Structures are given as C-alpha cells and as structure tokens.
Amino acid sequence: MDRLAIEKTYKLFVKNEFIRSESGHSLAVTDASGVTNVARASRKDARDAVLAAKEGHKSWAGKTAYLRGQVLYRLAEVMEGRRAELVESRTRAGATDAAAEVDAAIDRVVHYAGWADKLATILSSANPVAGPHFNVTSPEPMGVVVVVPPEQRPLLGLVSTILPIIVSGNAALVLAPEADPRTSVAFCECVATSDLPGGVINVLTGLRSEVLPHLAKHMDVQGLDLWKSATLGDELAKASAVAGADNVKRVKVRAEAAADAEGLGFVEAWVEQKTVWHPVGL
Amino acid sequence: MSKDANVQGSMTKPPKQGWLYAPSPEATDNVRLAPRYELFVDGKFSAPASGKYFPTVNPSTETVIAEVADANEADVDRAVTAARRAYEQVWSKMPGKERGKYVYRIARRIQERARELAIVESLDGGKPIKESRDVDVPLAAAHFFYYAGWADKLDYALPGRRARSLGVAGQVIPWNFPLLMAAWKLAPALACGNTVVLKPAETTPLTALLLAQIIQECDLPPGVVNIVTGAGPTGAALVGHPGVDKVAFTGSTDVGKRIQRALAGTSKRLTLELGGKAANVVFADAAIDQAVEGIVNGIYFNQGHVCCAGSRLLVEESIHDVIVRKLKRRIEHLRVGDPLDKNTDVGAINSKEQLQKIRMLVESGVSEGCSIHQSHARLPGRGYFFAPTFFTGVSQSHRIAQEEIFGPVLSVLTFRTPEEAVEKANNTVYGLSAGIWTDKAAKVFWMSRRLRAGVVWGNTFNKFDPTSPFGGFKESGFGREGGAAGLLPYLEAV
C-alpha cells in the first residue's frame, strides 16, 4: 500500500530555531510538484532577526579561530549527509545541474572553513614604525551583515556569500532567494545541526522588497552584501545603499555572476582592520 | 555667543606668575608667499573659469595671507579630464618602478623644503610650529617615501591575486593636517598607478599649493596630480563628477554620509575617514604621571583638531581625584599663543567658525551642569584662541560626551570595572581610536580586543606612522590609510 508522505512546513530560521512569521502570512511557491507555502517575513521578524544576529555575532566572534574552523567543517559534514535531500530540493525547484551545484556548495563550505584560522595570518601586518613601538594590524569582524544572495544556483549562491562573511566572526542575516526559498530552509536544517551558535546564520524567506528597505536603515546592521538579481534590481539596491549611509554601513553591490567564485577577497570585504600600538622599553 | 563661553574664573585660583618665556619666533624671512594662487591643472597653474578668488586667513592674526582660486564645476571638469588623459596615456602604462621614482622625488623635495612648508602650515592653519615642524611635515615626506617603494610591489598587497589601479581618484581633505592629509591621499593613489584631483580645505589651501609647485619641479607628467581649491561646492562637484572612479574623503561624519548617499548606485569606489570621540581609558594601576602626559597629548595636540583625539577621558573611579588635580596643574603649564613661537604648545583655533562651534559646545557643557576647568593662560588679543579646558561630572548623555567638539576640550567620566569601561568607551557612534593606560600587558590586550576602534594606543596616544594603518570602525568611516592596508582603497583585483 502506498504510504502518504509527510510534508515539510517551511519556516523562518532565526537563532537556530524554526519559527513562523509573526505576521502569520505565507507565500505560495508553485512548481511541478504542486504548491508549497513558505513563511513571509515581516518587518518585526527582521528586527527580531537583527537582535538574534547581534547575539550570534558576540558568541561566535568570541570563539577561537580553530573552533570556528571546526564548526564550519562540521557544517560541510552535515551537508554531505543531507546531500540527497539538497539535490532533491534543487531538482524540485527545476534545477538541471542540482548534483553539481550541491557538490560545489559543500566544497565551498570546506574552502572557507579552512580560512578561519588563516585569514588573520594573511590579512595582518606587523608594522615597522619609526620609533620604539610594537605595532600590529589585524582583522576583526564587523558585526551583523545583511546578505541578499543571488537567485541563480541559490544553494551555491547562499554558501558563497554567507561563508566568507561568517568565517571571521560576523553574523549573517540572509534574505533567501525568492525563486527557491525551500532549498534555503533545507540548508538551515544543516546549519541547525552543525554546532554553529544560534544567531550566526539567520534566514528570512518572503519578499525582499518588503524587508530589505527596513534592514538597510537598521542601526545595528554594519554591512549590506547585495547581489543583483531578478528580485534585487538597480532601484532597490540603490535605495538600500542610500539608506545604509545613515550609519555609514559597508555596502557592496555586486553582479550575480561573481558569486560563483571563492577566495580571501570575499572575506576581506567584511572585516575591520584594527591597529594596536604599545611602547617598547624598560 | 558671549565672551563668557571662555569661562575663565570660577575654578581654581590662577597660579602665581612664575618666570615667563621670552618670545622665540621662528624666522619667516625665507618664506615668500604670492598674493594670489591659481589652480594646478594639467601640470600648469591657471586661472579659474569661475574668475573668483577667496581669501585665506591667518587664524592667529585674522589677517589675509593670500587669495586663492575658487574652482567651479567647469574647473573641476577640466581637472578630471586632464587626470583621465594622464591616466590613460601615461601613468597607467608606466612601469611601477618608474612611477615609484617620481613619488620618491616628491618625498625628497618635501624634505628639502621642510621648514618653509612647516612655517606656511602654521601661518595658514594656526598649529604650533613645533608640531608642523616635527610632526606634520616629516610625516608627510615619510608617507611619500614609504608608498614610493610600494609602486613596483603591488601584487604583494593582494595575496593570491593580481592588482591593478582604478583610474582617476577624487580626493577631498580637511584643514587640521593640511599637508599631511594631502600626503596620505596622494602617496598611495600615485604609487598604485592612479591619477588624482585633490581638493584641499578652503581655510588651509596653501601647503597643498606649495606641494603643487614641488610636484611641478619633480617633472611629474602633466595631469597626474591636479589641485583644485574651493569650498564645499567644489568638493561636491569633484565627488559627483562622472569621470571620477574613486572618491576618498577625510572630514566630518555629516559630509561623509552625504557623499556616501550621493555615490550610491554608481560604480565609484569610496573610502571615508570621518569623525571620532575617542575614549582614553585610564586604570588605577597605570603609571599616573605618564598617563597624565598622554591625556594632555591626546586632547590638546593640534588644539584638539584631531579626529582621533582622546576627547573622552574614562578614569577608574579610585584615581579620579588625583588625575583631575594633576590635570588642572598640567594645563596651566601649556603655553597658548603665537603658532610661530617655538615654545607654543597650543596655537590658534583654525577658523572663526570652528571657534564658535567650540564655544557653543562648551556652553552646552556648562548649561548641562558639568564642572568646567580651564587654564588661566593669557590669550592673545587678536586671533582665534581657546584656553585648554576640561569638564568633570560628565555623564554619557551630555552633548560634550557624544558630539565631536574638535577643540581643546576634554570630558572626564569615570568607571569601576573593566567591563564598564568597555561599555562606556564603545557607547558612541564613532570608532576611530582609543587609548588604554595600565601597567598590565594582559589588560591592554584584553581591552584592545573589545574596543570598537580602528586604532588602539596602549600606554601612548596620537602616534602616527606611514607603515601603520589608520582608519575607523562604525561611523568613523571605512578604508585604511597607511601600511599595506592603505593600498587597498586604490587597487582592485584583476
């Protein structure tokens, strides 16, 4: 006898918890398999997520770089274990190269996990100042970065944008791709079992045009990583960058295609450099 | 604003007149300033299309030194066009090695004309000659010398990637360190292969124009450096010009935000070095006398016209009274007066407008109930001067604890635990610099990790060096100047 499958409820992911939108609203996602409802995040959800991300950043940045690398590698392990589900989710959304995308995404997580305890070595400098002073410059996380990842190859886009932000100790607040929000939620299930502290990765599904303008103004957000796509056009990107200036946010607006790349440059964009001086003497 | 804003009275008794210092003025006979300065565009000095000139005033005498061209949009356009041509035809094609040699030349010629530049800096801006002579000018030369050596080593700046220049940089600089800020902007831009249009501040254009002469003497290809003088509208025309690929601004947070908004939606790259309200944190276990010297240097250096000035003193409660007592005595010994006098510690406030702003904020400190302590130094009868001042009884919500005063005015607050010190130090929209005074090295590092500031001075303050990156967190801006990190704003990965 055929067994009736259990359907998944797609919720928001904030502070390592799957929650419904406080608004009670949902969005219908239609594909060949039928209609699925995903949560439609509200402004209030966005505000709550910023608070969660602030806490997540504090906890995460306080860990050793070694531990951050371990946890991020663990995320890759969990994704590998859920590989079939991730492939199925992307295929269901219409992807034709789902397996390749998932493999690339898992490998990308491994790539950035390895940067955790190396980025400070490469991005730091010992500065030979002309005087009896010890002087070192080293990178530090900024805090909370709002990410609007690409719509194309959304799982790969998600990890390619989030990982370089969080590897240094930042927290990410992600506005999921609208075309395939379900894979983002499946990814969050990997995050939830990876030992990442709550609040480091927060993912809101819904309408970007509804939530982003509010987050762009938020004074507890330090950065905006905006990847242009069908759901983030020039106008919304520009308006967000203008609003971001209210507290001198670090804003990057980039072309979608560039997301399919990895490396230290993406990490460097989301760190602050701190220089410490101290006299040397007896 | 009443003269009473200089509230000299109420506090301590004036100290007994000890021995006075005889005047020791720097000789100025080797400095010949022209009555009028033109724009420096495409390697030549030329009159502005605007036909307009504005006076630049000596703030210690309130007399006009010279008149300076006021560049309008057409002038800015001419400068950007020259910079573009120089970028495409000459500078971007030149091997780094050759480019570097031009920048070395600039460094050497600044050293040769060091004293002349120092004198003009003090005349035009009001800073004490001992600071312009020993800090501003040597650091400016060192900055060019340092970045010159980077010109043929740029691939080391972006590990694992190849670096290339951006194009034409539009740079707008402030009046507090006029020549030094020109050096901070020009040296890395040129070393990285960009060409530049630079706008100096309207109250202090002269040393940048002398630098233009030096650049001309160095035979830099025409158009590689262009200097356009003017006020806000000139700067707005420059940063808004579509031919500019990169904008670098040092100045107020308010103007910085306006520039950031104006550039939103464009492909221009931006770096901002903005305001500050630095906490200078003194623990009870610090070497007290050294800390007092550091506090004084932190706030009264350059009349407090320093974005990274230690303008909020956070002192551990148990040593508050002794620090205040020592500070009161120490500020009486600061010599306030003629910037060209070699004994002067605190010179003239840069402009009448700035003096009014300082008075207004000091007035707010008094009216909000803080206790004012001021040096009894006799201020010159003419010129813009303000006596070294500090406030006690300041709480975090007072304006003088939140707003950047940009003058010789310190706010004193207290704390009981290191955690409270961190909380209060970070309780500001700014994040440029911070100071820590303690005898325990572990505590310096514990604090320095938690302070949200781009530069942290442990048991020292206001130290600068071309090899040492400088720049802010939060609303103090983004991007670094100095060191290898200072190359990044002028490069992109290929």
Side-chain angles (χ1 to χ4, degrees), chain B residues 42-64:
Chain B
D42 211 10
K44 292 183 287 289
F45 288 92
S46 52
S50 70
K52 287 189 189 148
Y53 294 82
F54 62 92
T56 184
V57 171
N58 178 337
S60 67
T61 61
E62 302 179 48
T63 53
V64 173

Side-chain angles (χ1 to χ4, degrees), chain A residues 21 26 35 44 81 85 90 96 106 119 125 146 175 181 219 231 236-237 243 256 258-259 269-270 277:
Chain A
S21 169
S26 61
V35 177
K44 174 77 166 73
E85 185 195 346
R90 285 295 299 124
T96 52
I106 297 171
L119 69 96
S125 60
V146 167
L175 301 186
M219 297 307 245
T231 53
L236 181 56
E256 191 156 28
W270 305 105
W277 292 69

Side-chain angles (χ1 to χ4, degrees), chain B residues 203-467:
Chain B
T203 64
T204 54
L206 293 181
T207 46
L209 292 163
L210 294 187
L211 181 62
Q213 290 173 359
I214 288 173
I215 284 166
Q216 204 177 32
E217 288 167 12
C218 291
D219 276 331
L220 230 72
V224 171
V225 174
N226 306 275
I227 297 181
V228 292
T229 42
T234 309
L238 177 56
V239 304
H241 195 289
V244 166
D245 302 296
K246 195 254 157 10
V247 171
F249 171 76
T250 298
S252 73
T253 290
D254 181 46
V255 174
K257 288 178 183 178
R258 272 189 269 160
I259 293 174
Q260 191 179 354
R261 283 183 202 112
L263 264 53
T266 72
S267 58
K268 287 178 194 173
R269 300 259 304 251
L270 175 65
T271 41
L272 298 171
E273 203 269 83
L274 309 176
K277 192 74 191 177
N280 203 357
V281 182
V282 182
F283 287 98
D285 59 16
I288 300 293
D289 287 331
Q290 284 176 29
V292 169
E293 288 309 302
I295 295 162
V296 166
N297 172 47
I299 185 62
Y300 302 120
F301 172 65
N302 200 35
Q303 297 74 244
H305 300 330
V306 185
C307 42
C308 55
S311 53
R312 283 184 302 147
L313 177 63
L314 294 179
V315 54
E316 193 163 346
E317 206 171 75
S318 60
I319 54 162
H320 172 266
D321 293 352
V322 60
I323 291 277
V324 168
R325 194 175 70 238
K326 282 172 183 278
L327 261 182
K328 276 187 195 172
R329 196 164 60 207
R330 184 64 183 83
I331 61 171
E332 296 293 355
H333 294 279
L334 292 171
R335 290 178 291 266
V336 185
D338 181 7
L340 285 179
D341 192 306
K342 286 173 260 187
N343 288 322
T344 294
D345 297 306
V346 178
I349 300 302
N350 187 266
S351 66
K352 197 174 190 170
E353 292 68 34
Q354 188 57 30
L355 181 60
Q356 278 164 352
K357 186 186 162 202
I358 293 167
R359 284 181 173 161
M360 184 265 290
L361 280 163
V362 165
E363 196 94 308
S364 85
V366 173
S367 65
E368 288 188 312
C370 309
S371 307
I372 186 169
H373 310 272
Q374 226 167 13
S375 147
H376 294 81
R378 184 173 304 163
L379 305 183
R382 270 201 314 171
Y384 316 128
F385 290 91
F386 199 86
T389 300
F390 70 93
F391 281 99
T392 52
V394 181
S395 77
Q396 296 188 78
S397 58
H398 288 137
R399 284 183 73 188
I400 54 168
Q402 290 295 334
E403 294 179 39
E404 187 177 36
I405 300 173
F406 226 62
V409 182
L410 175 71
S411 301
V412 183
L413 298 90
T414 59
F415 68 88
R416 287 182 181 175
T417 65
E419 290 78 10
E420 187 189 353
V422 169
E423 195 68 36
K424 284 185 166 168
N426 289 339
N427 181 18
T428 163
V429 296
Y430 298 112
L432 190 51
S433 66
I436 305 159
W437 298 83
T438 168
D439 205 26
K440 295 193 174 66
K443 209 179 204 173
V444 171
F445 290 108
W446 187 92
M447 286 292 292
S448 70
R449 280 193 178 185
R450 286 164 178 77
L451 294 173
R452 305 289 294 155
V455 183
V456 178
W457 287 293
N459 291 311
T460 184
F461 211 94
N462 273 347
K463 290 281 186 296
F464 309 95
D465 193 275
T467 68

Side-chain angles (χ1 to χ4, degrees), chain B residues 113-134:
Chain B
R113 292 175 65 177
R115 191 57 59 91
E116 175 196 359
L117 288 163
I119 292 166
V120 174
E121 199 73 302
S122 287
L123 278 174
D124 203 19
K127 65 172 63 200
I129 186 73
K130 73 173 182 189
E131 290 176 10
S132 49
R133 181 193 65 204
D134 298 345

Side-chain angles (χ1 to χ4, degrees), chain A residues 14-267:
Chain A
V14 176
K15 213 195 272 183
N16 277 8
E17 286 169 15
F18 292 93
I19 54 170
R20 291 193 171 81
S21 169
E22 63 81 36
S23 70
H25 292 304
S26 61
L27 277 180
V29 180
T30 311
D31 57 29
S33 67
V35 177
T36 317
N37 295 313
V38 299
R40 177 174 163 181
S42 67
R43 290 176 163 211
K44 174 77 166 73
D45 293 321
R47 277 203 301 277
D48 293 345
V50 171
L51 289 180
K54 259 180 93 170
E55 289 304 309
H57 156 63
K58 230 186 239 171
S59 157
W60 184 231
K63 309 287 186 213
T64 63
Y66 174 64
L67 184 62
R68 283 202 301 272
Q70 294 265 308
V71 170
L72 294 178
Y73 183 78
R74 167 93 183 139
L75 174 60
E77 288 177 358
V78 176
M79 287 173 75
E80 188 76 38
R82 290 174 175 255
R83 188 176 173 283
E85 185 195 346
L86 293 168
V87 171
E88 193 272 332
S89 176
R90 285 295 299 124
T91 306
R92 184 181 169 196
T96 52
D97 63 343
E101 185 191 340
V102 172
D103 290 346
I106 297 171
D107 290 352
R108 187 141 296 160
V109 175
V110 174
H111 172 79
Y112 283 112
W115 271 121
D117 53 5
K118 295 160 197 74
L119 69 96
T121 308
I122 308 297
L123 298 179
S124 292
S125 60
N127 310 310
V129 297
H133 285 88
F134 162 88
N135 182 301
V136 162
T137 301
S138 49
E140 287 192 3
M142 288 174 178
V144 177
V145 179
V146 167
V147 193
V148 184
E151 292 278 356
Q152 288 168 24
R153 305 187 89 195
L155 179 66
L156 184 59
L158 214 54
V159 299
S160 300
T161 53
I162 299 174
L163 266 291
I165 289 170
I166 66 169
V167 66
S168 62
N170 293 305
L173 201 177
V174 186
L175 301 186
E178 288 182 29
D180 179 14
R182 290 177 311 213
T183 302
S184 301
V185 178
F187 169 73
C188 292
E189 289 166 5
C190 302
V191 174
T193 51
S194 69
D195 294 338
L196 210 69
V200 178
I201 295 178
N202 309 277
V203 177
L204 301 180
T205 54
L207 297 175
R208 290 167 159 188
S209 57
E210 187 174 26
V211 181
L212 180 58
H214 192 62
L215 288 172
K217 288 192 297 204
H218 202 295
M219 297 307 245
D220 285 333
V221 172
Q222 278 72 45
L224 300 176
D225 191 19
L226 309 177
W227 296 78
K228 286 198 200 167
S229 68
T231 53
L232 179 65
D234 288 338
E235 220 168 289
L236 181 56
K238 182 180 172 180
S240 305
V242 170
D246 286 355
N247 66 335
V248 195
K249 284 185 184 69
R250 286 70 173 133
V251 183
K252 298 248 178 281
V253 180
R254 306 194 244 210
E256 191 156 28
D260 195 11
E262 63 191 16
L264 188 63
F266 296 101
V267 178

